[in-house]
Amino acid sequence: MTDYRGVATDDVVAIHQLYALQSHFIDSGRQRDWAATFTVDGEFHSPSYPEPVVGFSDLEAFAGRFYSGAEAADEVHRHVITNLLVEPAAEAELTVCGYLQIVATSRGGDTRLVRMTTIIDRVIRVGDEWKIARRSVFRDDAPRKP
């Protein structure tokens, strides 16, 4: 197994697959599967939403609201994750950073960029799987802090 900056190639591949699954799950209304990519007590923190989302049930409901909102708007929403950087954090723990675009396409209409963000995740090994313990989202359109 080749290591890149201390992370086994197999683990980097598994992380890429995890993030691809997450995008497909939330965009296709598979909220239970999306929530299962987090730890049972997983956290989702984003300035786009009023409160953090914590725990499997709340994560599942959050993903359901996201999909239902797109359906109600008669749009297809896509999560596009790029430039994943996977770095070791501790034993059986990784830090994953990436760029996340949310794109909306009106059925029969135009496509627009809803928001561009950076995500920073704490990812831990649970059994033989990687799961997200905490996701922090940072919007690119947020004002700079002095």
Side-chain angles (χ1 to χ4, degrees), residues 89-100:
E91 183 67 29
E93 183 177 322
L94 302 169
T95 299
V96 179
C97 301
Y99 299 140
L100 168 62

Side-chain angles (χ1 to χ4, degrees), residues 6 10 20 35 42 59 68 98 102 105-106 114 119 126 128 131 136:
D10 288 351
L59 289 163
S68 295
I102 299 179
T105 303
S106 298
V114 175
I119 56 173
V126 177
D128 62 350
K131 295 203 177 241
S136 298

